Amino acid sequence: MSGKYSRREILGHAARGTVLLGLGGTAAVLATKAHKTYAWVIDAEKCVNSKLGVLGVDVCELCASECVITMSAVRAVNEFSQCGRCYICPAYYKITSAVGPDGLPSEKVCPTDAIQRKAIGWIDPDDPANNFYDYTIDERLCNGCGRCVMECKEPAGLSSIRLEVRHNVCLDCNRCSIAQVCPEEAYDRREPVTT
Amino acid sequence: MRVLADSRVPLCAGRWRLGFLVFLFLVFCVAPQVVAQQIDYSRQAEVAPDEETIGEGYVTPEVQHPRSRSARRQLFDVALLALALALAAWLALKKRSRVGLVWLTVGCLAYFGFFREGCICPIGSIQNVTLALFDQAYAVPYFVIAIFILPLIAALFWGRVFCSGVCALGAIQELFCLKPLRVPPRIDRALGWLKWIYLAVAIYYAVLPAVDRDFVICRYDPFVGLFRFTGQAWLLILGAAFLVAGVFIGRPYCRWLCPYGALLSVCSRYAWRSFSITPDRELDCGLCADACPYGAIEERRAVRTSCFACGRCYRSCPVHRVEDSGGAAPNPNAGLPSVDRVAR
């Protein structure tokens, strides 16, 4: 063949170009929606630990035990605007435990001591029970066991605590090991609410 | 009789005393629990107090939400993948160094396999990419697109350098391929169809509606359990079985089951510059064909679509052995026209 390229080289270039075009086209189609984040999300209304009316059920700790990450990607989160900020929080204190010398229950619910209790403002020393307390969950300690979620449920609490998947920690496995064993099928893969 | 009654009395009294002591002991143990009171709990608020009720300038704190995903780590992984692919291409095609490729294999196995625990891998990304193409409601992030595309583009230019040592699953099998036997070519070709079937099955299950959807590549990945040191027992045993079999039959998963390998074989077929055995730089003696564990050398030339660029052929080449030990081998093929690609 005359000319700079042999027929074989031209065919080779053509084939390469076609495949590259195909790959590029695929990448372009995918890139149009690649800004969205998809992650595993727990539907708090389905989660057995927060479902109203499901009393007498043992706390479900699968979110803590099943995650492939050592420290589960699930955390408990307190929705402050719905929190009662009570003196004796049933999710902080184990209300069935014996009363300590200060009149408060002696045992706590959280196994990793992740809930922090802080008084809001000035405490009247004669009437501490009529004060408000903020309950914050330390993310570095919380392992997503769900006990506080269960205790905060109606009628003991106001159901302000829920379990949430930390999608910056979550590996977004195609087969989420928690999603497969969740008894209420509360896991779904969709855009997480970040606000 | 009376004597007996008399003699029975002390025994009875002893038994009663013992029983009373036991009772006291039990009461002593149980009493604290029973006597210690629980609080008389009743919910303090029926409704969450608002900021005015709390007063003192209180502002409801922000609910803790997760930070967004670390783009830096994803970028780092993609950059590392690109670097590893480029390095594999250079080591295989330019430097022709088996030692370098082995070290690259070990490094990639350590990072992508054991440290990143094998996820996200380009093999599994096929399912996500397919789903994102078919399902409006699903999208993959940029770095997954990159992880899917980069090895394919590398294959278009340099052949299957991804398989060479960058793929963690391939890397672990590569290190176990110690006493390879030759598989008859017809069986090799027949088994090679399995990966296309697996690809079709994986795509089919990935695009089913959410309730039926199953990511089968992830579910039946025999090696990810070994990277994570945990998993279903049967799958771990299967992974170990693959490795043991791999000692004698080189890289069975890569050659016959890997769905991504099917895509790579298409791309590497049109590779611009791929792994080659040439009469100029080598000897055309055919010793390499025996050294190749994967049956990728035919008629003394590398078969692009199945060559994993492992470099064993170079190690067995007399020319390279002389070169590596510092000498220069005379080339009997100098001056003859060279054909460096099998016509397929």
Side-chain angles (χ1 to χ4, degrees), chain A residues 171, chain B residues 70-86 107-108 110-122 142-148 150-151 162 166:
Chain A
L171 297 176
Chain B
S70 162
R72 206 182 302 166
R73 190 181 76 172
Q74 296 168 358
L75 203 64
F76 181 72
D77 280 353
V78 170
L80 216 60
L81 177 68
L83 193 69
L85 287 168
C108 288
Y111 184 77
F112 292 114
F114 289 103
F115 184 64
R116 280 274 168 265
E117 292 186 334
C119 181
I120 293 180
C121 83
Y142 292 109
F143 87 105
V144 174
I145 302 176
I147 287 185
F148 174 71
L150 280 176
F162 176 66
V166 182

Side-chain angles (χ1 to χ4, degrees), chain A residues 8 12-13 15-16 19-20 23-24 26-27 29-31 33-40 68 76-90 95-99 103-105 120-122 129-132 134 136-139 153-158 162 164-175 189 193-195, chain B residues 36-39 41-50 53-56 58-70 73 116-117 119-120 124-125 127-129 131-142 145 148-149 152-153 156-157 210 213-216 218-220 228 266-267 270-273 304 339 341-344:
Chain A
R8 173 191 241 166
H13 288 319
R16 255 192 304 285
V19 177
L20 258 176
L23 288 177
T26 311
V29 167
L30 294 173
K33 42 180 182 165
H35 56 277
K36 297 193 209 167
T37 312
Y38 273 80
W40 289 104
V68 292
V77 154
N78 191 10
E79 185 68 56
F80 292 109
S81 57
Q82 293 169 17
C83 177
R85 303 183 191 84
C86 306
Y87 175 57
I88 295 178
C89 171
I95 52 180
T96 50
S97 63
V99 177
L104 294 166
I120 301 173
W122 175 76
N130 261 333
N131 212 61
F132 294 103
D134 252 340
T136 326
I137 301 172
D138 187 348
E139 271 201 34
K153 217 165 50 179
E154 302 264 351
L158 292 174
R162 62 171 182 274
E164 252 188 27
V165 177
R166 270 5 202 178
H167 62 261
N168 62 323
V169 176
C170 171
L171 297 176
D172 199 29
C173 300
N174 277 338
R175 289 178 56 78
R189 206 177 198 177
V193 175
T194 45
T195 50
Chain B
Q37 283 161 2
Q38 301 174 347
I39 52 158
Y41 178 77
S42 63
R43 196 164 66 178
Q44 237 178 299
E46 288 304 310
V47 97
D50 53 17
T53 320
I54 302 175
E56 293 184 57
Y58 174 76
V59 174
T60 313
E62 285 281 323
V63 181
Q64 305 143 293
H65 279 295
R67 296 185 298 264
S68 49
R69 286 190 178 132
S70 162
R73 190 181 76 172
R116 280 274 168 265
E117 292 186 334
C119 181
I120 293 180
S125 71
Q127 303 161 122
N128 297 71
V129 162
L131 181 60
L133 287 172
F134 278 84
D135 188 352
Q136 291 289 12
Y138 181 71
V140 283
Y142 292 109
I145 302 176
F148 174 71
I149 290 268
L152 292 174
I153 293 186
L156 264 183
F157 285 93
R213 191 174 298 157
D214 194 4
F215 291 99
V216 291
C218 303
R219 185 204 269 255
Y220 297 118
R228 295 179 180 172
V266 170
C267 288
Y270 307 114
W272 174 58
R273 293 265 182 279
R304 273 179 285 165
V339 178
R341 290 174 200 191
V342 174
R344 78 144 72 165

Side-chain angles (χ1 to χ4, degrees), chain B residues 262-277:
Chain B
L263 298 177
L264 285 170
S265 68
V266 170
C267 288
S268 62
R269 192 184 174 93
Y270 307 114
W272 174 58
R273 293 265 182 279
S274 73
F275 200 86
S276 55
I277 295 164

Side-chain angles (χ1 to χ4, degrees), chain A:
Chain A
M1 292 296 297
S2 63
K4 212 158 75 124
Y5 292 105
S6 71
R7 171 187 275 171
R8 173 191 241 166
E9 279 174 323
I10 294 177
L11 284 175
H13 288 319
R16 255 192 304 285
T18 313
V19 177
L20 258 176
L21 218 64
L23 288 177
T26 311
V29 167
L30 294 173
T32 52
K33 42 180 182 165
H35 56 277
K36 297 193 209 167
T37 312
Y38 273 80
W40 289 104
V41 174
I42 303 175
D43 187 347
E45 275 155 46
K46 289 190 188 163
C47 172
V48 69
N49 284 338
S50 40
K51 252 174 32 173
L52 297 176
V54 184
L55 289 177
V57 173
D58 280 337
V59 62
C60 168
E61 301 201 15
L62 292 173
C63 284
S65 57
E66 293 298 308
C67 184
V68 292
I69 309 177
T70 321
M71 177 83 153
S72 171
V74 181
R75 298 279 183 277
V77 154
N78 191 10
E79 185 68 56
F80 292 109
S81 57
Q82 293 169 17
C83 177
R85 303 183 191 84
C86 306
Y87 175 57
I88 295 178
C89 171
Y92 183 75
Y93 289 113
K94 205 181 274 186
I95 52 180
T96 50
S97 63
V99 177
D102 53 1
L104 294 166
S106 50
E107 284 171 37
K108 297 209 184 113
V109 169
C110 182
T112 56
D113 215 8
I115 309 186
Q116 285 145 9
R117 178 180 187 259
K118 206 180 74 144
I120 301 173
W122 175 76
I123 306 180
D124 183 351
D126 302 314
D127 189 18
N130 261 333
N131 212 61
F132 294 103
Y133 295 82
D134 252 340
Y135 293 92
T136 326
I137 301 172
D138 187 348
E139 271 201 34
R140 292 163 300 170
L141 295 171
C142 175
N143 65 354
C145 71
R147 290 184 207 177
C148 58
V149 179
M150 186 128 212
E151 296 297 335
C152 179
K153 217 165 50 179
E154 302 264 351
L158 292 174
S159 301
S160 67
I161 308 183
R162 62 171 182 274
L163 286 174
E164 252 188 27
V165 177
R166 270 5 202 178
H167 62 261
N168 62 323
V169 176
C170 171
L171 297 176
D172 199 29
C173 300
N174 277 338
R175 289 178 56 78
C176 174
S177 49
I178 317 176
Q180 279 156 46
V181 297
C182 175
E184 303 292 319
E185 291 182 17
Y187 274 75
D188 197 17
R189 206 177 198 177
R190 53 172 191 265
E191 287 187 83
V193 175
T194 45
T195 50

Side-chain angles (χ1 to χ4, degrees), chain B residues 87 91 97-105:
Chain B
L87 196 61
L91 284 169
S97 160
R98 165 115 180 108
V99 174
L101 285 168
V102 171
W103 278 112
L104 180 68
T105 305

